[in-house]
Amino acid sequence: MFRETLIGAWSLLVGMKVTLSHVLRAPVTSQYPRERIEMSKAYRNVIRLIEIDEIGSHDCIDCQACVRVCPSDCIKVEGERPDGMRKKRATLFEVEFALCSECGLCLDVCPTDTLGYSREYDQAGFRRDDFLYDLLDEWRDKEADVRTRLREDEAKKAAAKAAAASKAAAAKKAKEEATAAAGDTGDVAVEGEV
Amino acid sequence: MMRPKSTMELVPGDDETYYLNMGPQHPSTHGVLRLRLHLEGERILGAEPVIGYGHRAHEKMAENRDYLQFLPNTSRIDYLSGMIYNLGYCQAIEKAMQIEVPERAEYIRVICAELNRLTSHLLWLGTYLLDLGGFTPFLYAFDDREKLLDILDSVTGSRLTYSYGRFGGVSMDVDDTFLRAAADYCTYFRKRIDEYHALVTHNIIFRHRTKGVGVMGPQLALDYGVSGPCLRAAGVARDLRKDEPYGIYDRFAFDIVTAEGGDCFARHMVRMGEMEQSLNIIEQAVGGIPDGPVLAAKVPKRIRPPAGEHYFAVESARGHFGMYLRSDGTDVPVRLKLRTPSFVHVATMPVVLPGTMLADTVAILGSIDIVIPEIDR
Ligand code: SF4
Ligand code: SF4
């Protein structure tokens, strides 16, 4: 009995020693909101449209792949095909973040890789509408310019393609004529041999 | 309304005994679990867990969405072993469809799953000590767990609900910083384990409150289908990672930690030992991780496991997590039954609790490490 008391008291002292060793360590708590910590590189939050270099804007082509894969049914995308353009452009992109589970499946399926995560982290709201995100908001004022430029690019590309095609056709024709001519002489030669 | 029949009938006209509802809102049940206790003074005569308060119909949800869309659900069944469940589900589908997983992804999976097991055991350690009245270890354990969550966060972008696995690999590659952080953590945490032993395991109050309390013998454990640390604490060396190695667990050297007695103290010792084993596995995996892709190149676009029945099980932090899948060859499962360990563990309570004191209920309930959403699913 006496032995157990001694061992018990000793065990408490050992415990005390551990806690004492912690007294002098630096505190680990960060004092939010006065202090804000940096989110990790892979941090996931509400999705956003990210800029694609060669477009100079987002590149959502309204393919509906993300809408279809989303398990929570929280994405709504609408789009149109602007005159003179081959690809579509999104005209509406809404995410109901209150439903989103941040699973990242939509990022995986996007064919143009134009989806990414926002880096906000302390969204709070009083109503459900506060979490209805309009992802096109940040791109809207640039959209007209982007379309003009894309259209020009596409026209240029089409022109270049047409030029290349006509050149190719001309080259082909020339070649055909040449072979035809060669064929004529060949025929003659064959006849001559007989 | 049909009510499930109670296994514990009220005894009318008895002045000496009474009934007490512990929960569904009780700080020590770690969630919405209700225990109906039949008491005589402080002595427990009968106990009956009443579950279902956190039911979210995960199994039903699996039946009305395709295989990929169920993926986010898997880290929410047991939110403390989200990674293990998540990767386990991917492995189940891969096994059914015979998808090859690249080497690097297999190693990443092992590292992440073991890190996840550490976070789960650390949370258990902290809250268990809190249940028993010790506040300090709780803060230490959460600090250590926070470091782990930061490591996992740096690659998955999330702290609990990872959704990191994909059919045929994982969603993101890890970098050297992650691997170094995982290896450094192992070195750091080995020292911490000694501190925990000094602070907790050798503590005389802790020993008195846990030794010989809540005994779950090997026979009882096997009869009920108890698994994981609770089973190993009863002296039965069963661990799916060793017995039916899935993934690449057969390549690593580690021991199955067992203890004798099956009481709360034995369960504590098993979990502490398991943390050390997890560190061993992580170190070996970090040392041996090859370069290469992390997602298989040939994953079918449509996930359609062949018609028939498939079963796959992994060792979660709590025990045997099994998935029984019935497929008819379409995009949507006919049935996905989830076998979760805590459900079984809480079912032993009517046998384990009677005869103990009310104050020990908290110690016993804490020691079996239940996660309520996983019981209710
Ligand atoms: S992250 Fe998941 S839940 Fe959120 S919008 Fe994308 S697919 Fe839907
Ligand atoms: S998957 Fe990408 S391109 Fe398609 S609709 Fe969604 S955001 Fe737009």
Side-chain angles (χ1 to χ4, degrees):
Chain A
M1 187 61 213
F2 182 62
R3 209 176 147 253
E4 186 168 311
T5 316
L6 265 188
I7 295 175
W10 180 246
S11 80
L12 297 183
L13 283 178
V14 172
M16 282 290 195
K17 202 181 129 223
V18 174
T19 20
L20 271 179
S21 74
H22 276 258
V23 168
L24 296 175
R25 294 188 197 175
V28 291
T29 320
S30 44
Q31 300 293 339
Y32 177 83
R34 265 168 286 139
E35 209 178 297
R36 297 175 70 91
I37 48 173
E38 188 54 37
M39 288 292 120
S40 76
K41 205 166 72 234
Y43 175 64
R44 305 203 306 245
N45 196 287
V46 65
I47 51 170
R48 57 182 288 261
L49 290 166
I50 51 177
E51 179 162 333
I52 303 292
D53 280 345
E54 61 255 42
I55 308 281
S57 173
H58 70 86
D59 191 17
C60 177
I61 52 169
D62 180 33
C63 71
Q64 302 284 327
C66 54
V67 179
R68 251 176 280 128
V69 81
C70 177
S72 323
D73 231 350
C74 55
I75 310 181
K76 197 169 159 197
V77 184
E78 282 169 16
E80 62 181 18
R81 195 183 310 274
D83 284 338
M85 271 177 70
R86 210 163 31 83
K87 281 203 257 173
K88 284 166 111 183
R89 295 283 294 167
T91 52
L92 174 101
F93 202 121
E94 275 179 1
V95 176
E96 185 144 11
F97 186 45
L99 301 179
C100 171
S101 63
E102 296 167 25
C103 62
L105 297 180
C106 49
L107 268 80
D108 282 7
V109 297
C110 181
T112 56
D113 283 333
T114 191
L115 286 176
Y117 295 112
S118 150
R119 301 201 59 82
E120 310 168 59
Y121 71 84
D122 45 6
Q123 298 107 311
F126 291 99
R127 288 170 312 135
R128 191 171 160 178
D129 289 357
D130 293 345
F131 299 101
L132 193 65
Y133 281 72
D134 175 9
L135 299 195
L136 287 179
D137 198 32
E138 52 180 318
W139 306 110
R140 212 158 264 137
D141 37 346
K142 277 212 274 176
E143 183 66 12
D145 297 348
V146 170
R147 284 190 187 189
T148 325
R149 196 157 33 75
L150 284 178
R151 215 173 275 134
E152 277 165 12
D153 280 0
E154 230 166 79
K156 248 187 250 159
K157 243 186 250 162
K161 211 172 155 197
S166 63
K167 212 169 146 195
K172 204 170 157 211
K173 212 169 158 206
K175 205 170 160 202
E176 266 171 16
E177 274 164 8
T179 38
D184 284 349
T185 49
D187 277 357
V188 174
V190 169
E191 268 176 18
E193 239 171 47
V194 171
Chain B
M1 194 181 85
M2 274 272 287
R3 294 190 136 272
K5 206 162 177 273
S6 173
T7 54
M8 199 174 69
E9 289 307 325
L10 292 172
V11 189
D14 186 344
D15 295 339
E16 299 302 315
T17 66
Y18 62 105
Y19 291 86
L20 181 78
N21 277 314
M22 193 171 142
Q25 293 186 26
H26 189 277
S28 70
T29 54
H30 303 292
V32 275
L33 172 71
R34 178 170 141 218
L35 275 181
R36 277 181 72 211
L37 299 173
H38 187 196
L39 296 164
E40 182 186 32
E42 285 217 24
R43 190 164 297 283
I44 294 170
L45 299 177
E48 184 191 40
V50 183
I51 60 169
Y53 292 94
H55 180 59
R56 287 159 301 162
H58 277 304
E59 292 176 2
K60 198 72 198 165
M61 280 164 93
E63 292 167 25
N64 58 35
R65 55 194 59 210
D66 67 29
Y67 288 93
L68 185 61
Q69 288 179 329
F70 187 66
L71 195 73
N73 286 50
T74 53
S75 18
R76 287 165 172 83
I77 298 164
D78 173 354
Y79 54 84
L80 294 181
S81 337
M83 183 70 83
I84 304 177
Y85 276 52
N86 194 216
L87 298 177
Y89 174 68
C90 292
Q91 282 165 324
I93 304 296
E94 281 154 11
K95 185 180 161 226
M97 295 188 59
Q98 287 160 0
I99 301 173
E100 286 278 332
V101 180
E103 280 282 291
R104 186 174 172 85
E106 290 278 21
Y107 275 84
I108 296 174
R109 283 180 175 188
V110 167
I111 297 171
C112 288
E114 292 309 316
L115 288 175
N116 193 208
R117 195 182 310 276
L118 280 172
T119 65
S120 174
H121 283 352
L122 271 172
L123 184 123
W124 167 81
L125 181 70
T127 53
Y128 186 48
L129 269 297
L130 198 61
D131 286 348
L132 295 180
F135 192 67
T136 320
F138 166 75
L139 297 176
Y140 295 174
F142 266 63
D143 178 24
D144 283 347
R145 178 168 174 270
E146 204 61 30
K147 294 193 174 83
L148 278 173
L149 293 183
D150 281 347
I151 298 177
L152 283 173
D153 184 18
S154 74
V155 55
T156 65
S158 183
R159 288 158 46 89
L160 280 181
T161 49
Y162 302 106
S163 295
Y164 180 54
R166 292 288 184 271
F167 305 131
V170 293
S171 69
M172 230 179 293
D173 197 359
V174 301
D175 53 8
D176 285 342
T177 327
F178 169 85
L179 294 176
R180 213 171 320 117
D184 288 349
Y185 189 85
C186 294
T187 325
Y188 159 81
F189 194 64
R190 269 184 215 286
K191 278 197 230 100
R192 290 288 278 185
I193 288 185
D194 296 339
E195 273 188 21
Y196 285 122
H197 280 310
L199 186 65
V200 178
T201 315
H202 299 310
N203 186 295
I204 189 80
I205 305 169
F206 176 74
R207 282 177 172 250
H208 275 288
R209 286 219 54 191
T210 52
K211 276 209 162 161
V213 173
V215 177
M216 202 190 280
Q219 198 52 50
L220 172 78
L222 288 173
D223 285 351
Y224 270 80
V226 169
S227 54
C230 294
L231 179 64
R232 296 191 278 274
V236 185
R238 285 276 297 151
D239 188 327
L240 283 176
R241 290 176 292 170
K242 263 281 201 271
D243 299 336
E244 299 163 25
Y246 52 91
I248 52 164
Y249 272 106
D250 48 354
R251 297 190 200 165
F252 302 111
F254 66 99
D255 300 327
I256 302 180
V257 185
T258 57
E260 291 304 321
D263 55 4
C264 294
F265 187 73
R267 291 193 273 275
H268 164 77
M269 286 314 281
V270 167
R271 290 206 181 88
M272 293 303 284
E274 263 182 30
M275 288 204 257
E276 263 173 73
Q277 296 305 324
S278 288
L279 296 179
N280 287 346
I281 300 176
I282 295 171
E283 277 170 348
Q284 292 171 45
V286 169
I289 187 166
D291 283 335
V294 292
L295 203 58
K298 278 191 297 200
V299 181
K301 202 147 173 54
R302 314 213 68 159
I303 300 295
R304 285 177 175 159
E309 300 181 358
H310 309 277
Y311 185 78
F312 192 76
V314 292
E315 184 80 23
S316 87
R318 266 151 217 86
H320 181 128
F321 167 56
M323 287 148 282
Y324 161 78
L325 168 69
R326 219 166 128 184
S327 163
D328 56 359
T330 57
D331 283 354
V332 181
V334 175
R335 176 91 168 93
L336 181 67
K337 154 90 182 123
L338 306 167
R339 187 256 186 232
T340 52
S342 293
F343 180 76
V344 176
H345 297 169
V346 81
T348 62
M349 286 298 103
V351 191
V352 174
L353 283 182
T356 61
M357 306 295 279
L358 182 57
D360 288 338
T361 312
V362 176
I364 297 168
L365 212 54
S367 77
I368 59 171
D369 193 16
I370 46 173
V371 165
I372 312 294
E374 183 225 272
I375 299 175
D376 296 337
R377 298 199 283 287

